[in-house]
Amino acid sequence: MSNDGQPAQDPLIDEAQAEQRRSAAARLFDIRRVIGGLFVAYGIIVTLIGIFDSRAEIDKAEGVRINLWAGLAMLAFGLLMLLWQWLRPAEPPAPNEKQPGS
Amino acid sequence: MDGGGLRLNMNGLDYLILALYFVTVLGVGFAARRAIRTSVDFFLSGRSLPAWVTGLAFVSANLGALEIIGMAANGAQYGVMTVHYYWIGAVPAMVFLGIVMMPFYYGSKVRSVPEYLRLRFNRPTHLLNALSFAVAQVLIAGVNLYALALVMQALLGWPLWTAIVVGAAIVLAYITIGGLSGAIYNEVLQFFVILAGLIPVTVIGLVKVGGWNGLMDAVGDTKLGEAGLHAWQDTGSTANPLGAHWIGIVFGLGFVLSFGYWTTNFAEVQRALSAKNMSAARRTPIIAAYPKLFIPLVTVIPGLVALVTVKGLGAESGDLQYNNAIPLLMRDLLPNGVLGVAVTGLLASFMAGMAANVSGFNTVFTYDIWQAYIRRDRSDEYYLRVGRWATVAAVVIGIGTAFIAAGFSNIMNYIQALFSVFNAPLFATFIIGMFWKRMSALAGFWSLLLGTLVSLSLYLLYKGGVVDFNSDLEESFWGAGLAFVTAVVVAAIITPLTSPKRDEELRGLVYGMGGVDLKGDVLAGDAVWYRSPVLLGLIAVALAALFYIPVF
């Protein structure tokens, strides 16, 4: 594929592109925090249920302590999401990344 | 509805898990609001999202509950052959979209799939596609909503209209407020919640039947028999559970139906258009292909487990229909706690599916119908407002169609099947237009129109009993294939008789015309080999082929 010049122009698209100078998209929060938070909460609730599971409930799940295992797995997943966000925060937009009209 | 035999025994903690999910989803919508100032922020997330987010949203948008419940039902009814819908019927098309087609979509800066048709062909082609897409999306949103309400009624005992209104109100709130960012962020969240709900059912189901080998042995003893364990054996004829010849599977499902759906359906492509640069846009469907490879583990396996463990599954009506495979397993195997997570996962999948339809609709309605044909040259703020009202309208009409669907559930299923066939002529028009620069604008219009009419006529003749096929599936293979061929032939006949478009008008839209810049906006980290769309895509296709080996 050759690499010369701009794609065909269209007035409606150009207007929308020009408006992008005002874009507030950089203010969007990081979804990893929300996923991490929800799964930590689910993990804690389900693990606690799992610790106090009665014999009947364990028998229903074919003898697997599913609440305990699922709860711990969700807790670990939630913490990993938060850790990922903490170690690799969202890249700040590069200064020349979106020049007006480009 | 009879007896309530599917009713789950939800307790307060299960409802707490469900309520936490509702609060989080609404919170995401409100929090996304501050990132919206322009119409592109609202409809395309300001083209700012990283590839892993758009990729997971891409797969989630397709993971509606119709898909999950339906694929588990197919697993119980047709056995292992159901994996064709994933490994040959999705992954190759997703990879093709990312490697070959996305440079034209993203590079030309079009804001929707119909808009590509306006630039490549002409306004009539554009209007035809925009209108049919818009109508299809609200109808499918209604079908989704109705299916949600049915499950809520059966599992939780909620009245039908309560479930419809509650489900619609939440989706309405987070899209109207948070725009596509609200929808996409929630789809990523929903992706994980859906998995968290399905994995425990699968694991306990496998424990119950004695693991993978136990399952294989047990399926051999069911009415499906040994044939239910193989994907390709017996496809030299149609004497297999799916009733499909391998030619039909490869060309009908794997090529025409699958490429038609994945590469031209704006509700999917929109997720990739919201990515932050060309590299991320191309990786979006390819990243989505990886989870898609593994989803049969949590849909087909539960379907098979249900077939083995639920006595009498496969009834024509009542609680023991194939469609209830997953709800029945949830009822039988999950204790409170994971039960709440599983119900939340099912609800999440309904919302993901419906949100994809609604956010696709509001964009096409605003940019491709309102701005292009009704009110041009207004301010960007004006179109942002139109988009919010279009969202409200889509959800209200969706509620209306949900109540219509309640009266004619079969008819609505037919309508959905029909729209899936509409994608085949659309794909033909796209693929010829992208690679044959001579194809004229008029040829584009007539290819699309006549291709669609052919698939529509064949479908109506089949439903009217004039033409006969072994199954609905076989009809859709043939309908899609004939529509594809019609579109190709029409393009070949009309193009030489009409004048071509000028080369400058085709820059960035057609292969070999230049104007596509694959590297111009890459970030520093995107050049590393493990972010190469071509490499990632080829690995996904190779995995899909390898996965067939144990179930050949």
Side-chain angles (χ1 to χ4, degrees):
Chain A
M1 243 166 277
S2 67
N3 190 8
D4 44 346
Q6 291 291 309
Q9 300 293 302
D10 177 80
L12 292 181
I13 294 177
D14 291 346
E15 276 166 37
Q17 287 296 108
E19 285 292 332
Q20 269 314 86
R21 267 172 290 192
R22 299 192 300 120
S23 171
R27 298 169 67 190
L28 199 58
F29 61 98
D30 195 327
I31 187 63
R32 288 175 290 182
R33 193 180 313 163
V34 178
I35 297 170
L38 185 69
F39 272 83
V40 166
Y42 278 3
I44 293 172
I45 295 171
V46 176
T47 306
L48 285 176
I49 298 174
I51 291 173
F52 297 107
D53 260 348
S54 67
R55 195 67 242 168
E57 273 144 346
I58 296 171
D59 286 345
K60 182 178 183 189
E62 301 294 316
V64 182
R65 297 200 69 140
I66 190 69
N67 274 327
L68 191 60
W69 291 116
L72 289 173
M74 287 193 285
L75 186 60
F77 175 78
L79 290 174
L80 273 178
M81 270 280 161
L82 294 175
L83 187 71
W84 179 26
Q85 195 214 346
W86 185 60
L87 291 177
R88 297 279 298 274
E91 302 159 32
N96 60 352
E97 186 199 338
K98 281 223 172 100
Q99 279 171 351
S102 69
Chain B
M1 275 280 147
D2 51 312
L6 273 175
R7 186 72 50 84
L8 300 175
N9 189 13
M10 296 266 285
N11 69 14
L13 287 166
D14 292 325
Y15 275 107
L16 172 68
I17 289 169
L18 190 57
L20 264 180
Y21 168 76
F22 283 149
V23 171
T24 310
V25 165
L26 289 174
V28 166
F30 278 101
R33 183 193 177 119
R34 56 197 292 273
I36 295 171
R37 203 179 292 143
T38 68
S39 68
V40 175
D41 288 346
F42 184 79
F43 294 118
L44 293 173
S45 300
R47 299 190 195 267
S48 67
L49 298 176
W52 73 272
V53 169
T54 53
L56 291 181
F58 190 98
V59 72
S60 202
N62 166 256
L63 215 51
L66 290 174
E67 165 83 12
I68 289 178
I69 296 209
M71 285 300 157
N74 285 346
Q77 192 170 356
Y78 306 119
V80 165
M81 287 189 93
T82 308
V83 299
H84 289 315
Y85 287 100
Y86 297 86
W87 296 341
I88 196 166
V91 170
M94 294 161 92
V95 169
F96 183 83
L97 171 65
I99 293 179
V100 178
M101 293 176 77
M102 196 53 71
F104 301 111
Y105 282 140
Y106 194 85
S108 61
K109 296 290 173 200
V110 292
R111 298 164 297 172
S112 68
V113 166
E115 191 157 81
Y116 177 89
L117 290 175
R118 183 166 62 78
L119 299 192
R120 174 62 185 84
F121 299 113
N122 54 16
R123 286 161 69 88
T125 321
H126 172 240
L127 188 60
L128 178 63
N129 179 233
L131 287 175
S132 68
F133 177 82
V135 170
Q137 292 309 298
V138 288
L139 286 179
I140 296 172
V143 175
N144 239 316
L145 201 52
Y146 174 62
L148 162 83
L150 274 188
V151 170
M152 290 300 103
Q153 186 189 45
L155 299 186
L156 307 179
W158 294 10
L160 215 50
W161 66 270
T162 315
I164 288 179
V165 170
V166 168
I170 291 175
V171 170
L172 173 67
Y174 74 71
I175 299 184
T176 319
I177 296 166
L180 187 67
S181 303
I184 284 187
Y185 269 16
N186 275 322
E187 281 162 7
V188 177
L189 181 71
Q190 284 150 356
F191 171 77
F192 291 114
V193 174
I194 293 166
L195 286 186
L198 289 177
I199 290 171
V201 168
T202 310
V203 170
I204 301 180
L206 277 177
V207 169
K208 183 173 173 116
V209 296
W212 177 253
N213 291 330
L215 181 63
M216 294 293 102
D217 292 344
V219 169
D221 298 333
T222 62
K223 58 184 162 187
L224 205 50
E226 181 66 17
L229 300 173
H230 299 285
W232 290 108
Q233 247 177 34
D234 309 322
T235 55
S237 67
T238 53
N240 53 60
L242 209 52
H245 195 275
W246 68 267
I247 297 176
I249 295 172
V250 173
F251 293 101
L253 178 65
F255 183 61
V256 182
L257 280 179
S258 146
F259 278 64
Y261 174 81
W262 290 99
T263 64
T264 63
N265 182 355
F266 180 58
E268 293 290 339
V269 175
Q270 185 177 25
R271 272 78 200 139
L273 294 185
S274 69
K276 64 184 172 186
N277 61 18
M278 174 70 87
S279 169
R282 296 181 75 198
R283 273 181 284 138
T284 296
I286 296 170
I287 289 176
Y290 284 85
K292 193 76 185 167
L293 281 169
F294 292 95
I295 289 171
L297 291 180
V298 291
T299 54
V300 179
I301 290 181
L304 289 174
V305 170
L307 176 71
V308 170
T309 60
V310 180
K311 293 269 175 301
L313 187 72
E316 285 291 314
S317 61
D319 291 338
L320 292 174
Q321 295 171 57
Y322 284 120
N323 272 337
N324 288 333
I326 284 189
L328 284 165
L329 287 187
M330 284 163 54
R331 180 195 68 183
D332 292 344
L333 299 177
L334 294 186
N336 294 110
V338 283
L339 181 64
V341 179
V343 169
T344 308
L346 270 190
L347 261 169
S349 76
F350 278 108
M351 288 187 177
M354 183 180 175
N357 296 328
V358 170
S359 59
F361 170 86
N362 68 17
T363 308
V364 165
F365 179 83
T366 306
Y367 281 152
D368 293 299
I369 296 175
W370 199 261
Q371 186 185 32
Y373 299 99
I374 298 176
R375 291 276 184 275
R376 259 192 103 131
D377 298 326
R378 298 293 177 97
S379 68
D380 195 61
E381 286 82 0
Y382 172 80
Y383 295 113
L384 179 54
R385 268 201 312 281
V386 171
R388 290 206 153 106
W389 283 110
T391 313
V392 176
V395 173
V396 171
I397 299 172
I399 292 177
T401 46
F403 281 107
I404 298 173
F408 306 92
S409 64
N410 282 336
I411 290 177
M412 297 308 281
N413 287 340
Y414 294 154
I415 286 174
Q416 194 170 17
L418 195 55
F419 282 120
S420 77
V421 173
F422 280 3
N423 283 325
L426 184 59
F427 171 63
T429 311
F430 263 95
I431 203 71
I432 306 168
M434 268 184 188
F435 288 93
W436 189 33
K437 69 171 184 171
R438 178 65 178 81
M439 185 177 183
S440 65
L442 269 178
F445 178 75
W446 288 107
S447 281
L448 186 59
L449 184 64
L450 293 177
T452 308
L453 287 179
V454 163
S455 61
L456 180 65
S457 321
L458 188 70
Y459 185 80
L460 293 178
L461 288 176
Y462 168 62
K463 283 297 161 203
V466 182
V467 185
D468 203 32
F469 289 105
N470 284 334
S471 64
D472 289 0
L473 192 70
E474 199 191 12
E475 191 281 330
S476 66
F477 287 169
W478 277 101
L482 272 182
F484 186 89
V485 171
T486 306
V488 172
V489 169
V490 169
I493 294 174
I494 296 188
T495 294
L497 306 176
T498 46
S499 58
K501 293 194 77 150
R502 286 178 298 120
D503 283 1
E504 311 86 88
E505 293 175 318
L506 299 178
R507 294 180 63 75
L509 300 170
V510 179
Y511 184 80
M513 301 301 289
V516 174
D517 187 357
L518 292 176
K519 300 249 156 54
D521 57 353
V522 292
L523 301 170
D526 286 344
V528 294
W529 62 269
Y530 58 83
R531 287 186 184 167
S532 154
V534 176
L535 181 71
L536 287 173
L538 293 179
I539 295 175
V541 173
L543 283 177
L546 284 176
F547 283 11
Y548 270 122
I549 293 174
V551 291
F552 187 83

